[in-house]
Amino acid sequence: MLVSGMFRKLRLILLIAVLVVVSLNAVLSQIRTTDWNTSLWVVVYPLNADGREDTQHYIDSLKESQFDDIERFFTKESKRYQLNAEAPVQVMLAPQLKEQLPEPPENPSIIGNVLWSLHMRYWSWRQDSWQGPDSDVKIYMRFFSPDNPKRLRHSLGLQKGLIGIVNGYADVEYQGQNNLIAAHELLHTLGASDKYDPATNWPVWPDGYAAPTQEPLLPQTKAEIMGGRVQISPSIALIPPSLEHVVVGAATAIEVNWQSGE
């Protein structure tokens, strides 16, 4: 009886120790990735999500330079906030992963989301085709054929684990939007929040607008990165074709430590 009680206490102590280590690691990772003292190393992992030949052909043709606009976007926008970083983000392309990542729950719940997040982080730890410098953030880019009739699921970013999942189309005409989504999810991993109405997917004023104080307010000519769309009129909001038409708004800049919230 005494041994059994001691064993339970030991298990509890070990569990608490693991939770403390995990929590401390998450806090330290968040501090490290948003202090902007050094470049943030982002590795993109392509996956053939629908198994089609045309999707595979596109993945086979991918080059690291096709993700350069993500780097240019972060460099340009960080300079607007006087961030002292020559290259705040560096993006590298890993070899294709063959094993598919765990699918997020169809009907998410708190427990379901937690379990999936843990599963995803474990899967990410086990599946790694990258042989270069250690990454700060991993972006899994799941490619689908433009001819695939299935509607793409929502992309997402995990702050705990520093993981982004992008569902995109395997075509050069869509790579600009794929990179836009990747930048959006990357900012999620750094603590940025969505700035659009989930019911309509339209940006929420003022934080979701690129130019919230312009007069007249509409039409907007660019999108705020976490707002996701350019509000053209009260009834029209368009997804921009690339990061050239996107800015980082003040609220997002505060969330990722580009400027003070005071």
Side-chain angles (χ1 to χ4, degrees):
M1 188 72 177
L2 180 61
V3 173
S4 177
M6 289 180 63
F7 182 68
R8 283 197 298 269
K9 288 181 180 179
L10 181 60
R11 283 200 308 174
L12 180 60
I13 291 171
L14 289 174
L15 178 59
I16 292 173
V18 169
L19 290 174
V20 168
V21 170
V22 170
S23 299
L24 182 60
N25 183 63
V27 171
L28 292 176
S29 295
Q30 181 63 21
I31 293 172
R32 175 174 50 80
T33 54
T34 57
D35 62 15
W36 303 106
N37 291 328
T38 58
S39 296
L40 199 66
W41 289 73
V42 179
V43 176
V44 175
Y45 297 81
L47 298 97
N48 185 338
D50 58 11
R52 291 174 54 124
E53 287 188 15
D54 54 341
T55 302
Q56 188 59 50
H57 288 157
Y58 182 72
I59 292 174
D60 292 340
S61 72
L62 281 175
K63 297 179 176 60
E64 199 165 88
S65 59
Q66 289 173 267
F67 302 91
D68 285 352
D69 57 341
I70 299 176
E71 296 181 356
R72 289 193 295 268
F73 170 74
F74 278 93
T75 299
K76 172 177 67 73
E77 289 302 297
S78 65
K79 286 181 178 178
R80 292 202 304 116
Y81 292 97
Q82 286 78 51
L83 191 71
N84 294 322
E86 281 295 318
V89 168
Q90 294 193 22
V91 180
M92 294 149 288
L93 178 63
Q96 178 184 355
L97 288 175
K98 299 299 184 181
E99 183 172 332
Q100 298 300 316
L101 54 80
E103 288 284 350
E106 290 282 352
N107 300 304
S109 63
I110 294 177
I111 294 177
N113 286 341
V114 169
L115 292 176
W116 174 80
S117 175
L118 291 172
H119 187 192
M120 180 65 216
R121 288 151 67 183
Y122 177 69
W123 180 91
S124 177
W125 173 69
R126 289 187 63 238
Q127 303 292 327
D128 202 335
S129 58
W130 175 243
Q131 300 297 319
D134 290 343
S135 63
D136 294 304
V137 180
K138 296 178 179 180
I139 300 291
Y140 296 100
M141 194 165 285
R142 306 174 71 215
F143 285 103
F144 296 80
S145 168
D147 297 327
N148 192 316
K150 292 180 63 176
R151 183 177 180 181
L152 299 190
R153 296 190 67 177
H154 209 64
S155 299
L156 52 89
L158 301 177
Q159 188 174 4
K160 292 181 179 178
L162 298 171
I163 294 169
I165 299 173
V166 174
N167 295 311
Y169 287 116
D171 192 289
V172 66
E173 292 185 6
Y174 290 95
Q175 193 56 43
Q177 282 193 355
N178 294 340
N179 290 346
L180 187 159
I181 298 170
H184 177 101
E185 303 307 339
L186 170 56
L187 284 164
H188 268 317
T189 71
L190 304 179
S193 60
D194 282 326
K195 294 169 180 64
Y196 60 83
D197 183 344
T200 63
N201 288 329
W202 287 3
V204 175
W205 184 88
D207 293 342
Y209 280 50
T213 60
Q214 80 172 23
E215 294 183 2
L217 182 61
L218 301 178
Q220 294 279 300
T221 58
K222 292 189 174 184
E224 201 283 329
I225 183 65
M226 304 309 291
R229 282 171 167 76
V230 184
Q231 195 75 45
I232 304 298
S233 73
S235 59
I236 300 175
L238 303 177
I239 299 175
S242 72
L243 285 164
E244 292 182 8
H245 307 275
V246 179
V247 301
V248 172
T252 300
I254 291 170
E255 290 172 330
V256 299
N257 201 32
W258 278 8
Q259 73 173 19
S260 170
E262 297 178 358

